[in-house]
Amino acid sequence: SSELTQDPAVSVALGQTVRITCLGDSLRTYYAGWYQQKPGQAPVLVIYGKNNRPSGIPDRFSGSSSGDTASLTITGAQAEDEADYYCNSRDISGDHLVVFGGGTKLTVL
Amino acid sequence: QLQLQESGPGLVKPSETLSLTCTVSGGSISSSSYYWGWIRQPPRKGLEWIGSIYYSGSTYYNPSLKSRVTISVDTSKSLFSLKLSSVTAADTAVYYCAVSVAGSSEVAWFDPWGQGTLVTVSS
């Protein structure tokens, strides 16, 4: 199966912009989804596809993709954005298989 | 909108079978628009996709778990189920059910998720 690689931890100053990246061969074929998970809570989809936000997700969250890398950008990070972020996509190695990245812990300073 | 709720035992003995159900409300489990999935998260670790099922009954499993996993759907009760056999302590995790939309990339994007249920494997 394919893998998605994320940096384990990223930090950003309050109000600044941060980019979280996800690397994997499957991203050359399939778009990524991005999830925010706060302690003790279920993950929430924040970005999917080329750059789409589900209803209720603030527009400071955006997504992009180039080659084998997908990125989640938070423009003007807020204290409440401190969370774990996971990317995922369809797996290129089999029919309808799914793969998740290892997650990135975002700290807002 | 769709809502999902997991249920099942919180404690399972080693070598036994873990069984969970996910009840779906706010939409039809028989819809051709959705895939119904299970994802788990061991304590202090990342997310792992277990498998998904289509309304037709077609199933797709993580290769690393395939030999031990069965996912089924009961359209009459609007629920789908997970069975994981021969469990060990490594299967201790929060188990989530979630839904994705049928499509090329979309099948991987889960929204929404259930609240999750912690299953501990211990004697």
Side-chain angles (χ1 to χ4, degrees), chain A residues 39-64:
Chain A
Q41 298 182 18
V44 174
L45 184 69
V46 295
I47 289 289
Y48 62 94
K50 195 171 185 180
N51 182 17
N52 301 293
R53 283 177 287 107
S55 174
I57 302 302
D59 61 5
R60 63 178 178 272
F61 290 88
S62 63
S64 62

Side-chain angles (χ1 to χ4, degrees), chain B residues 50-74:
Chain B
I50 299 170
S52 296
I53 188 167
Y54 194 43
Y55 82 104
S56 61
S58 296
T59 51
Y60 310 93
Y61 299 136
N62 186 325
S64 68
L65 299 169
K66 187 174 183 177
S67 64
R68 299 194 291 131
V69 173
T70 302
I71 297 176
S72 59
V73 63
D74 186 335

Side-chain angles (χ1 to χ4, degrees), chain A residues 1 29-33 35 37 41-43 45 48-49 54 86 88-90 95-98 100-102, chain B residues 35 39 41 45-49 52 60-63 96 103-105 107-111 113-116:
Chain A
S1 60
T29 305
Y30 300 112
Y31 284 110
Y35 304 83
Q37 186 181 33
Q41 298 182 18
L45 184 69
Y48 62 94
Y86 295 90
N88 87 327
S89 80
R90 189 168 170 177
D95 186 27
H96 288 75
L97 302 187
V98 175
F100 281 90
Chain B
Y35 284 76
I39 301 103
Q41 184 172 35
K45 292 189 177 181
L47 301 169
E48 180 181 34
W49 175 72
S52 296
Y60 310 93
Y61 299 136
N62 186 325
Y96 296 100
S104 179
S105 290
V107 69
W109 307 330
F110 294 101
D111 179 45
W113 298 51
Q115 65 184 30

Side-chain angles (χ1 to χ4, degrees), chain A residues 3-86:
Chain A
E3 294 183 351
L4 295 176
T5 301
Q6 298 182 241
D7 291 328
V10 171
S11 62
V12 61
L14 184 67
Q16 296 303 301
T17 297
V18 62
R19 176 175 291 183
I20 300 170
T21 59
C22 176
L23 175 71
D25 286 341
S26 62
L27 300 178
R28 296 184 182 276
T29 305
Y30 300 112
Y31 284 110
W34 288 94
Y35 304 83
Q36 176 191 71
Q37 186 181 33
K38 296 181 179 179
Q41 298 182 18
V44 174
L45 184 69
V46 295
I47 289 289
Y48 62 94
K50 195 171 185 180
N51 182 17
N52 301 293
R53 283 177 287 107
S55 174
I57 302 302
D59 61 5
R60 63 178 178 272
F61 290 88
S62 63
S64 62
S65 182
S66 178
D68 64 353
T69 302
S71 300
L72 171 70
T73 299
I74 307 174
T75 303
Q78 302 299 303
E80 61 264 34
D81 299 333
E82 184 163 294
D84 294 326
Y85 290 87
Y86 295 90

